[in-house]
């Protein structure tokens, strides 16, 4: 067992009003309780408590912005180092995952459909399956995970974890239809006519946000979401410029370095990055360089042209330019199902219970909010699973 994790657990003060949980964690993980059970050698109980509160606990322990959330709010961090909460949570969730005792409630005879196997869809499918619903998940890709598999690099989130989730979901009786998009030959109406009592849309945000500058269609320009989907097929060359400042920009930069690019520079419009402090630090350790207060003007075959704070324009020679300024939803369902209303941001509109303009059709995650964090998608989806449960029970 890692001594580091035990040492960290021993440093926890077991605060009666824990800032880590109340102020820091978007899904209010009971961190002091987790640490207490761990220290009492009751790790399975800790793991079950974590999973019940957040079925994606193992994933969140790796990909959350801990520096701004639980660890950033830990009282120990005021005068020294915060407790390394994520390591403790990861140790518990990872070691116990296969042994979690997940027994679904007896079948209630009702079917629900989940469209999209990303963080929101996985959360909904697991919670409803445990409540006794028969769940079918429709997924455009060949494997589950969505943005977790196709947008987060292996060194941050090993894909084997998603394969373990798939196995666990199959054990819960969840059915999958891979390589299949709802909104083409089959629409939501077909699902409802076939007897699904409710439909959940969690198709994510996959359309890259454009810079809106000349040259964006050139052969030396790529979008982060496309690059991260399959970095092996790209030949970026030695000099790579990345435009953006969030975690996706850091993921792209660190992936490019691992694929052999020698000079990787992230150009930031403002004075600081919006990526989590850890991802920023790791990017620097990996050798990524940063340039601030540079606004993109256009892209040429030789590289991007930026305007600096003094208003001077400079061509930055580069073999490739990667645009990493977020994504918006792109989905056949959103464009083809005319009865689905959109909100003012062009995302799927839902009421406070996650219900769309089509009765019985719910949605959450990035398709509703635009690209947000994994934990935010899980927290909202958890609530929506309860709303779907209530809706379906009222039908009966
Ligand atoms: Fe432990 Fe820090 Fe949370 Fe207090 S704030 S309970 S010290 S992890």
């Amino acid at each position: 067992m890692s001594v580091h994790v035990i040492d960290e657990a021993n440093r926890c003060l077991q605060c009666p009003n824990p800032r880590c949980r109340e102020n820091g964690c978007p899904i209010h993980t009971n961190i002091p309780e987790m640490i207490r059970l761990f220290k009492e050698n009751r790790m399975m109980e800790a793991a079950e408590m974590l999973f019940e509160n957040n079925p994606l606990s193992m994933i969140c322990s790796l990909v959350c912005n801990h520096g701004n959330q639980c660890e950033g709010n830990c009282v120990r961090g005021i005068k020294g180092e915060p407790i390394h909460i994520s390591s403790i949570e990861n140790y518990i969730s990872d070691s116990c995952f296969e042994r979690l005792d997940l027994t679904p409630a007896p079948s209630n005879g009702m079917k629900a459909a989940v469209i999209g196997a990303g963080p929101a869809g996985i959360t909904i499918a697991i919670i409803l399956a445990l409540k006794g619903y028969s769940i079918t998940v429709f997924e455009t890709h060949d494997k589950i995970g969505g943005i977790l598999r196709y947008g987060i690099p292996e060194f941050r989130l090993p894909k084997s974890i998603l394969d373990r989730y798939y196995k666990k979901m199959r054990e819960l009786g969840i059915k999958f239809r891979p390589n299949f998009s709802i909104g083409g030959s089959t629409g939501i109406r077909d699902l409802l006519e076939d007897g699904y009592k409710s439909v959940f849309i969690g198709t994510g945000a996959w359309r890259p946000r454009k810079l809106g500058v000349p040259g964006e269609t050139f052969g030396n320009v790529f979008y982060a979401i496309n690059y991260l989907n399959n970095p092996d097929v790209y030949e970026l060359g030695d000099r790579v410029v990345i435009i953006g400042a969030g975690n996706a920009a850091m993921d792209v930069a660190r992936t490019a370095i691992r694929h052999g690019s020698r000079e990787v520079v992230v150009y930031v419009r403002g004075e600081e990055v919006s990526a989590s402090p850890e991802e920023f630090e790791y990017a620097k350790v990996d050798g990524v360089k940063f340039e601030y207060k540079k606004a993109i003007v256009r892209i040429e075959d030789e590289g991007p042209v930026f305007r600096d704070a003094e208003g001077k324009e400079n061509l930055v020679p580069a073999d490739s330019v990667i645009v990493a300024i977020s994504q918006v939803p792109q989905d056949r369902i959103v464009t083809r199902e005319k009865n689905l209303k959109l909100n003012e941001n062009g995302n799927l509109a839902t009421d406070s219970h996650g219900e769309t303009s089509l009765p019985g059709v719910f949605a959450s995650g990035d398709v509703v909010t635009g690209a947000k964090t994994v934990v935010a998608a899980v927290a909202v989806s958890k609530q929506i699973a309860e709303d779907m449960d209530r809706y379906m029970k009222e039908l009966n």
Side-chain angles (χ1 to χ4, degrees):
M1 183 187 280
S2 160
V3 174
H4 168 70
V5 170
I6 297 173
D7 286 347
E8 285 301 297
N10 283 333
R11 289 205 303 124
C12 173
L13 302 171
Q14 292 288 302
C15 308
N17 296 308
R19 293 157 43 112
C20 55
R21 182 185 74 196
E22 298 311 322
N23 308 0
C25 179
I27 202 159
H28 302 300
T29 300
N30 195 338
I31 292 161
E33 176 74 354
M34 164 186 89
I35 294 176
R36 187 179 66 79
L37 291 168
F38 176 74
K39 284 171 61 177
E40 291 174 1
N41 297 330
R42 294 160 68 192
M43 196 156 75
M44 276 312 296
E45 283 173 68
E48 269 151 22
M49 183 268 291
L50 287 172
F51 189 90
E52 194 177 326
N53 179 63
N54 174 4
L56 268 53
S57 161
M58 181 174 19
I59 291 167
C60 289
S61 69
L62 294 173
V63 304
C64 266
N65 186 345
H66 306 107
N68 285 351
Q69 296 173 0
C70 53
E71 292 168 14
N73 280 276
C74 171
V75 74
R76 276 282 199 189
I78 295 173
K79 285 195 182 152
E81 285 300 308
I83 308 295
H84 212 290
I85 299 164
S86 54
S87 298
I88 304 172
E89 181 176 4
N90 183 256
Y91 189 86
I92 297 169
S93 297
D94 192 304
S95 328
C96 301
F97 187 73
E98 273 66 29
R99 287 177 289 154
L100 286 172
D101 182 16
L102 303 178
T103 311
S107 169
N108 59 23
M110 288 191 269
K111 282 187 165 69
V114 172
I115 306 172
I122 293 174
T123 304
I124 298 270
I126 289 175
I127 294 175
L128 291 181
L130 285 170
K131 287 181 185 293
Y133 290 93
S134 167
I135 304 294
T136 300
V137 178
F138 298 84
E139 169 54 49
T140 303
H141 292 93
D142 59 344
K143 293 197 167 143
I144 73 156
I147 197 75
L148 301 170
R149 184 183 291 274
Y150 300 103
I152 297 181
E154 177 78 17
F155 57 80
R156 277 224 292 141
L157 179 64
K159 299 190 186 349
S160 59
I161 290 181
L162 300 166
D163 297 337
R164 290 163 70 191
Y165 266 87
Y166 176 75
K167 194 158 172 269
K168 185 64 82 185
M169 291 168 80
R170 292 290 294 138
E171 284 166 14
L172 288 173
I174 297 169
K175 300 186 183 82
F176 285 92
R177 288 191 58 167
N179 299 324
F180 190 71
S181 302
I182 299 292
S185 57
T186 302
I188 289 174
R189 180 168 303 184
D190 297 298
L191 299 176
L192 297 173
E193 281 176 5
D194 264 349
Y196 289 95
K197 298 288 181 208
S198 183
V199 176
F200 173 77
I201 304 173
T203 44
W206 295 91
R207 193 170 73 213
R209 198 181 287 283
K210 286 174 64 180
L211 289 168
V213 300
E216 214 167 333
T217 61
F218 290 171
N220 55 340
V221 185
F222 310 105
Y223 291 107
I225 189 72
N226 305 134
Y227 175 67
L228 290 172
N229 187 359
N230 188 359
D232 293 340
V233 303
Y234 291 79
E235 293 174 23
L236 298 183
D238 278 343
R239 290 172 306 176
V240 180
V241 163
I242 295 155
I243 302 171
N247 277 354
M250 306 303 129
D251 284 344
V252 167
R254 297 175 66 199
T255 304
I257 282 186
R258 281 163 177 71
H259 279 74
S261 297
R262 293 178 189 282
E263 198 186 311
V264 177
V265 187
V266 174
Y267 277 73
V268 181
R269 192 182 180 95
E271 290 181 25
E272 50 191 43
V273 299
S274 52
S276 70
E278 290 152 35
E279 297 311 317
F280 181 43
E281 288 306 316
Y282 274 119
K284 287 192 286 188
V285 165
D286 284 354
V288 179
K289 300 279 182 286
F290 290 83
E291 289 282 341
Y292 298 91
K293 297 211 270 189
K294 299 280 164 45
I296 182 73
V297 178
R298 64 182 175 278
I299 302 172
E300 300 181 357
D301 286 331
E302 294 71 32
V305 175
F306 289 97
R307 186 181 299 117
D308 64 20
E310 281 78 49
K312 243 175 64 202
E313 289 187 7
N314 282 308
L315 172 82
V316 177
D319 300 307
S320 299
V321 179
I322 303 191
V323 181
I325 56 163
S326 193
Q327 294 89 238
V328 292
Q330 163 193 300
D331 201 271
R332 291 180 189 180
I333 297 174
V334 175
T335 47
R336 296 245 180 113
E337 295 279 350
K338 300 293 175 221
N339 294 331
L340 281 174
K341 293 215 169 77
L342 303 183
N343 63 23
E344 63 280 5
N345 299 321
N347 304 327
L348 210 50
T350 56
D351 65 15
S352 58
H353 298 288
E355 196 168 5
T356 66
S357 46
L358 282 176
V361 178
F362 294 74
S364 73
D366 293 355
V367 72
V368 174
T369 57
K372 286 271 182 329
T373 61
V374 174
V375 70
V378 178
V380 177
S381 302
K382 212 174 105 174
Q383 185 52 50
I384 289 174
E386 299 303 324
D387 291 325
M388 289 175 72
D389 180 37
R390 201 170 309 117
Y391 173 87
M392 289 188 273
K393 290 207 169 117
E394 280 169 9
L395 284 181
N396 257 14

